[in-house]
């Protein structure tokens, strides 16, 4: 076992776990395009984007069929633009997660070969694994790519929850919506349960009716999330993302067996590391029994499946609402018109990047339509 933050070996104290390895811990490098694992979810995001774009009101702003809800123009344009941005955020995070996974495979292939060679030459002595600058930079990239996959997955899931809130017309502030708004994902027809109903301000009798459109959306998204991977994948992903973002660094463990290396990830990332070591008598309880590459590839695959299923449900409800705009009202509570706070920070070299006089902005047709629907091209605030 190796502490990634030092060139210390823990083998002397704990022993080295030589275990039979399954799967493909040592890869020979990727042969497909980096975004191939998420191409179905990217296509689903493109389809949902096109559906939303088709309802842009380029004259009045916002969504063409929201103007009868009594919303002010700030809310009509703000909610629509933020929804568009959330779908773009899912697409961006899918690509980020996929490129991190792609580059991680390459780094791991090189680093695993180097580590095995050092063990062969040094007969496993700890000083044989002291890294030079090139190896240290590669190790840092491995850490960054591992964290990158988990962070991108967590962000995509939060973006997805925001999309569900906007498309479903749920009465909660959209900018603050995250996956927690949909949790817990209880089984059976009684979802959404009391916690979710409280957060989304839903009436139990109405939303649990099997024909209620908002309830149908929530249950479809729940099923897509639950069935996208093995039991517990969603909680483990959320906990691992939070661990990487908010918690202290953990010890990295290597399982070395002949010419293969596995670097398993923590089994319980929501528990402090010292607590896990003190309470687990069996080392197999501390870590997943698979290489991190297999875990992270599975997370990306589960994310791909979950988004495809969830976006299909969102498309169905969006189309229904467009055809029956009186059935679900877009609530004003989704948007806050509070003015932005004053920001004192002006950067580290203020004035070093400014627009020249008479500059022209070149944007894609899609971005131009978004600006029009957001009322950004009329040279004034949407409220004037």
């Amino acid at each position: 076992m190796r502490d990634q933050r030092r060139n210390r070996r823990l083998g002397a104290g704990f022993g080295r776990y030589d275990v039979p390895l399954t799967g493909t811990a040592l890869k020979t490098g990727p042969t497909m395009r980096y975004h191939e694992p998420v191409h179905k979810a990217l296509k689903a995001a493109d389809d949902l984007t096109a559906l939303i774009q088709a309802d842009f009101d380029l004259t009045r702003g916002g969504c063409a069929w929201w103007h009868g809800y009594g919303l002010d123009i700030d809310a009509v344009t703000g909610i629509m633009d933020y929804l568009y941005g959330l779908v773009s955020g899912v697409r961006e995070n899918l690509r980020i997660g996929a490129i991190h996974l792609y580059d991680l495979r390459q780094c791991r292939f090189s680093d695993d070969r180097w580590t095995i060679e050092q063990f062969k030459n040094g007969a496993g002595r700890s000083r044989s694994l002291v890294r030079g600058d090139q190896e240290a930079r590669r190790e840092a990239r491995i850490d960054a790519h591992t964290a990158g996959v988990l962070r991108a997955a967590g962000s995509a899931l939060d973006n997805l929850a925001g999309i569900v809130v906007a498309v479903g017309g749920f009465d909660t502030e959209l900018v603050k919506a995250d996956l927690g708004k949909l949790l817990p994902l209880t089984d059976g027809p009684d979802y959404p349960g009391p916690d979710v109903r409280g957060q989304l301000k839903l009436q139990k009798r109405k939303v649990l009716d099997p024909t209620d459109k908002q309830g149908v959306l929530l249950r479809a998204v729940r099923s897509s999330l639950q069935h996208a991977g093995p039991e517990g994948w969603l909680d483990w992903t959320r906990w691992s993302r939070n661990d990487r973002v908010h918690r202290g660094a953990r010890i990295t463990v290597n399982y070395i067996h002949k010419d293969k290396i596995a670097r398993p990830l923590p089994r319980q990332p929501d528990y402090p590391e010292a607590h896990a070591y003190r309470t687990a008598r069996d080392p197999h309880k501390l870590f997943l029994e698979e290489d991190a590459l297999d875990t992270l590839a599975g997370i990306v695959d589960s994310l791909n499946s979950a988004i495809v299923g969830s976006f299909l449900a969102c498309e169905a409800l969006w189309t229904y609402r467009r055809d029956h705009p009186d059935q679900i009202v877009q609530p004003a509570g989704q948007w806050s018109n509070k003015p932005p706070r004053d920001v004192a920070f002006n950067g580290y070299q203020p004035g070093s990047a400014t627009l020249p006089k008479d500059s022209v902005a070149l944007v894609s047709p899609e971005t131009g339509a978004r600006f029009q629907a957001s009322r950004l091209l009329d040279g004034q605030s949407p409220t004037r």
Side-chain angles (χ1 to χ4, degrees):
M1 302 195 312
R2 178 176 52 80
D3 184 340
Q4 66 180 17
R5 293 153 291 175
R6 303 285 188 274
N7 283 319
R8 279 200 311 267
R9 293 289 296 183
L10 298 181
F14 290 88
R16 191 175 77 237
Y17 302 124
D18 290 339
V19 298
L21 300 179
T22 59
T24 53
L26 187 60
K27 307 288 184 181
T28 58
T31 58
M32 58 179 148
R33 296 176 299 171
Y34 84 91
H35 60 273
E36 190 67 23
V38 295
H39 78 278
K40 291 182 179 179
L42 290 172
K43 175 62 166 57
D46 289 342
D47 291 344
L48 183 56
T49 297
L51 194 66
I52 294 170
Q53 283 178 330
D55 290 334
F56 279 174
D57 190 325
L58 303 183
T59 302
R60 296 177 296 175
C63 177
W65 42 273
W66 286 358
H67 286 272
Y69 295 148
L71 299 173
D72 62 36
I73 193 62
D74 279 331
V76 170
T77 56
I79 295 171
M80 186 70 164
D81 185 74
Y82 196 76
L83 170 58
Y84 187 94
L86 286 169
V87 182
S88 298
V90 168
R91 186 187 300 109
E92 178 180 288
N93 282 300
L94 286 169
R95 292 186 180 277
I96 289 172
I99 193 61
H100 275 302
L101 181 62
Y102 184 96
D103 289 348
L104 176 61
R105 291 187 187 278
Q106 294 181 326
C107 289
R108 277 290 308 277
F109 176 68
S110 298
D111 203 72
D112 288 0
R113 285 196 306 173
W114 176 83
T115 301
I116 290 169
E117 190 64 28
Q118 299 310 301
F119 263 94
K120 287 180 178 179
N121 294 338
R125 294 189 298 273
S126 61
R127 63 177 178 272
S128 67
L129 289 180
V130 174
R131 292 175 177 268
D133 182 68
Q134 178 179 347
E135 292 79 27
R137 284 186 282 113
R138 186 173 59 222
E139 185 181 39
R141 287 196 294 270
I142 290 172
D143 296 339
H145 291 317
T146 300
V149 173
L150 294 169
R151 288 168 179 162
S155 296
L157 291 167
D158 284 339
N159 290 159
L160 172 61
I163 293 166
V164 171
V165 166
V167 171
F170 297 111
D171 191 4
T172 189
E173 190 171 349
L174 182 58
V175 175
K176 296 181 179 179
D178 58 19
L179 188 62
K181 296 290 185 183
L182 309 182
L183 300 179
L185 300 177
T186 51
D187 294 324
D190 290 338
Y191 180 82
D195 291 338
V196 178
R197 294 197 302 268
Q199 294 191 84
L200 301 182
K201 301 177 184 177
L202 299 171
Q203 296 179 359
K204 177 179 179 180
R205 182 175 180 180
K206 180 178 182 298
V207 76
L208 295 185
D209 185 320
T211 65
D212 180 73
K213 297 299 182 180
Q214 290 180 316
V216 168
L217 172 65
L218 290 172
R219 286 184 285 276
V221 171
R222 175 200 59 182
S223 296
S224 295
L225 290 169
Q226 287 182 328
H227 298 152
E231 182 180 1
W233 82 271
L234 185 63
D235 285 337
W236 187 91
T237 301
R238 292 174 52 243
W239 295 333
S240 294
R241 183 268 195 117
N242 291 340
D243 181 60
R244 291 281 175 166
V245 173
H246 301 295
R247 310 291 180 248
R250 292 174 178 266
I251 294 171
T252 295
V253 174
N254 288 348
Y255 292 174
I256 303 172
H257 181 69
K258 296 182 179 179
D259 288 340
K260 289 185 177 181
I261 295 179
R263 303 186 185 193
L265 293 170
R267 185 182 294 274
Q268 294 180 314
D270 57 326
Y271 273 78
E273 191 169 41
H275 176 73
Y277 273 93
R278 283 199 306 268
T279 56
R281 298 180 180 275
D282 183 349
H284 295 88
K285 301 292 186 181
L286 296 172
F287 303 97
L288 298 174
E289 294 185 284
E290 63 182 12
D291 185 68
L293 279 173
D294 295 319
T295 306
L296 296 174
I299 294 299
V300 171
D301 184 63
S302 292
L303 191 65
N304 181 67
S305 298
I307 288 173
V308 169
S310 298
F311 277 9
L312 286 173
C314 288
E315 287 182 36
L317 183 55
W318 183 271
T319 302
Y320 173 83
R321 291 189 61 196
R322 182 188 60 205
D323 296 340
H324 306 85
D326 59 325
Q327 295 299 302
I328 299 175
V329 173
Q330 203 72 25
Q334 285 192 350
W335 197 251
S336 171
N337 287 328
K338 292 184 297 185
R341 67 173 68 91
D342 292 331
V343 178
F345 181 65
N346 291 318
Y348 291 94
Q349 299 183 44
S352 60
T354 59
L355 288 174
K357 187 178 180 180
D358 299 325
S359 296
V360 176
L362 300 177
V363 299
S364 67
E366 293 79 11
T367 300
R370 179 183 180 182
F371 284 174
Q372 282 185 273
S374 302
R375 297 285 298 274
L376 297 179
L377 298 182
D378 55 8
Q380 60 184 6
S381 166
T383 59
R384 295 198 298 268

